[in-house]
């Protein structure tokens, strides 16, 4: 599995956090694999070259094939991702609040959903999708997506102090107090909570919990040899029990079960997210 995080064009720094390319071909004799994908802090665009993934909910045997360009809203609960033989994709993770500034759609309306991005963007997105089928290299695919993103900068809604404040919360993995974050946004606490629901898709305390949980989950994917106690400490949890509680909420199971599930798949979908 070859994953590359690309340097961003300077003009994208205001609203894009990561552009990652993935190129994976399953081993001979393996036609598909399933891996957990619990909540991450981002709204994202996933561009699939040729072969989209399928997604299903825990406890269900039903998997739905995803569109070739997938827009993910605020993720509140876990899904399972099924990869079929080959995965070539370009993932764009947006800074918190940026998807709202691009689409002018309240993010809580997109919560826990994956959508066909062609329904949200103009005809240029359809042309991007067509160009991404059979790209010569993943670098060429990244360049096509970056060209599209640079055109979106022109119509981007104006940033507010809120956007800088929520980025500061992101930088602390949710450790900064909500009161301090609201103060940085130049809003009252109630105003901050309303704006957070509109631009992030959830209340700020819930978002801060997802940030902390995501750090713990990515540590497990990236460093399977370290203990859960160390992960809890590194992620900023007060104790291991608080981390276990969040795993049950966001991953649907306790950490030991996630550990077993990851042993059954070669895929690590979140460890390369950087923020």
């Amino acid at each position: 599995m070859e994953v590359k995080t690309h340097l961003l064009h300077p003009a994208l720094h205001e609203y894009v956090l990561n552009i990652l390319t993935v190129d994976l071909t399953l081993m001979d004799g393996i036609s598909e694999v399933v891996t957990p994908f619990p909540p991450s802090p981002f709204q994202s665009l996933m561009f699939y070259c040729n072969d989209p993934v399928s997604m299903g909910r825990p406890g269900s045997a039903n998997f739905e094939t995803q569109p070739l360009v997938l827009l993910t809203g605020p993720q509140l609960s876990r899904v399972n991702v099924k990869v079929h033989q080959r995965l070539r994709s370009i993932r764009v993770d947006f800074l918190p609040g940026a998807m709202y500034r691009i689409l002018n759609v309240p993010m809580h309306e997109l919560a826990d959903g994956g959508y066909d991005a062609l329904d949200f963007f103009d005809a240029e997105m359809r042309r991007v999708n067509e160009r991404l089928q059979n790209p010569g290299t993943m670098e060429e695919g990244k360049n096509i997506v970056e060209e599209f993103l640079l055109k979106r900068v022109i119509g981007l809604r104006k940033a507010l102090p809120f956007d800088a404040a929520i980025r500061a919360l992101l930088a602390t993995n949710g450790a900064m107090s909500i009161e301090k974050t609201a103060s940085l946004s130049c809003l009252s606490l109630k105003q901050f909570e309303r704006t957070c629901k509109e631009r992030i898709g959830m209340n700020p305390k819930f978002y801060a919990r997802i940030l902390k949980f995501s750090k713990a989950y990515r540590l497990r994917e990236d460093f399977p040899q370290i203990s859960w106690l160390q992960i809890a400490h590194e992620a900023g949890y007060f104790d291991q029990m608080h981390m276990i509680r969040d795993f049950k909420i966001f991953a649907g199971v306790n950490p030991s079960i996630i550990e077993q599930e990851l042993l059954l798949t070669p895929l690590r979908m979140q460890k390369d997210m950087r923020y």
Side-chain angles (χ1 to χ4, degrees), residues 14 101 156-160 163 199:
E14 186 181 344
R101 294 173 61 200
L156 195 64
R157 291 171 65 89
K158 183 180 178 181
L160 300 176
D163 298 293
R199 293 195 169 215

Side-chain angles (χ1 to χ4, degrees), residues 217-246:
Y217 181 78
R218 287 181 291 113
L219 283 169
R220 169 49 63 195
E221 281 200 342
D222 208 8
F223 304 102
Q225 73 280 6
I226 65 177
S227 70
W228 283 111
L229 183 61
Q230 185 177 349
I231 286 174
H233 174 74
E234 291 290 334
Y237 281 98
F238 179 73
D239 57 33
Q240 195 169 346
M241 289 305 300
H242 282 81
M243 182 186 70
I244 291 172
R245 178 196 61 186
D246 277 0

Side-chain angles (χ1 to χ4, degrees), residues 157-176:
R157 291 171 65 89
K158 183 180 178 181
L160 300 176
F162 169 87
D163 298 293
I166 207 72
R167 286 180 67 171
L169 180 64
L170 175 72
T172 68
N173 290 301
M176 188 165 64

Side-chain angles (χ1 to χ4, degrees), residues 37-270:
F37 197 97
S40 80
F42 309 116
Q43 286 91 62
S44 305
L45 281 172
M46 293 290 300
F47 298 84
Y48 296 107
C49 308
N50 308 107
D51 301 307
V53 301
S54 299
M55 290 188 186
R57 293 290 177 179
S60 173
N62 296 323
F63 283 79
E64 295 184 0
T65 301
Q66 299 302 296
L68 285 169
V69 187
L70 176 68
L71 184 155
T72 61
Q75 189 181 351
L76 309 179
S77 58
R78 167 185 165 175
V79 296
N80 292 325
V81 178
K82 181 183 288 186
V83 173
H84 309 270
Q85 293 188 325
R86 189 167 192 194
L87 173 63
R88 301 178 81 202
S89 66
I90 300 112
R91 177 189 177 100
V92 181
D93 292 323
F94 292 91
L95 285 163
M99 186 68 78
Y100 170 81
R101 294 173 61 200
I102 295 168
L103 298 178
N104 195 28
V105 174
M107 286 296 104
H108 63 83
E109 295 182 4
L110 306 182
D112 240 12
Y115 306 89
D116 190 334
L118 300 183
D119 295 334
F120 289 83
F121 291 89
D122 54 26
E124 179 66 19
M125 179 66 88
R126 193 172 301 276
R127 289 190 288 270
V128 169
N129 181 36
E130 292 170 354
R131 293 174 66 192
L132 285 176
Q133 303 316 302
N134 297 303
T137 65
M138 295 311 298
E139 184 75 22
E140 291 175 20
K142 185 274 296 184
N143 291 338
I144 291 170
V145 170
E146 187 173 69
E147 178 184 327
F148 167 77
L149 294 171
L150 287 169
K151 292 179 181 178
R152 310 307 299 188
V153 174
I154 300 172
L156 195 64
R157 291 171 65 89
K158 183 180 178 181
L160 300 176
F162 169 87
D163 298 293
I166 207 72
R167 286 180 67 171
L169 180 64
L170 175 72
T172 68
N173 290 301
M176 188 165 64
S177 73
I178 301 305
E179 290 75 15
K180 182 175 181 180
T181 312
S183 177
L184 290 175
S185 72
C186 303
L187 298 170
S188 70
L189 187 57
K190 287 187 176 180
Q191 289 172 326
F192 177 71
E193 290 174 347
R194 286 195 298 269
T195 304
C196 200
K197 186 175 181 180
E198 180 180 54
R199 293 195 169 215
I200 307 299
M202 64 194 78
N203 72 58
K205 289 185 178 180
F206 198 79
Y207 182 68
R209 287 181 67 182
I210 287 179
L211 286 173
K212 190 178 294 186
F213 161 79
S214 179
K215 176 71 177 292
Y217 181 78
R218 287 181 291 113
L219 283 169
R220 169 49 63 195
E221 281 200 342
D222 208 8
F223 304 102
Q225 73 280 6
I226 65 177
S227 70
W228 283 111
L229 183 61
Q230 185 177 349
I231 286 174
H233 174 74
E234 291 290 334
Y237 281 98
F238 179 73
D239 57 33
Q240 195 169 346
M241 289 305 300
H242 282 81
M243 182 186 70
I244 291 172
R245 178 196 61 186
D246 277 0
F247 265 78
K248 289 179 178 179
I249 292 172
F250 297 124
V253 292
N254 64 42
S256 63
I257 300 298
I258 279 289
E259 187 170 19
Q260 294 172 23
E261 291 179 345
L262 288 174
L263 289 174
L264 298 175
T265 174
L267 302 183
R268 301 293 180 265
M269 291 290 200
Q270 296 192 12

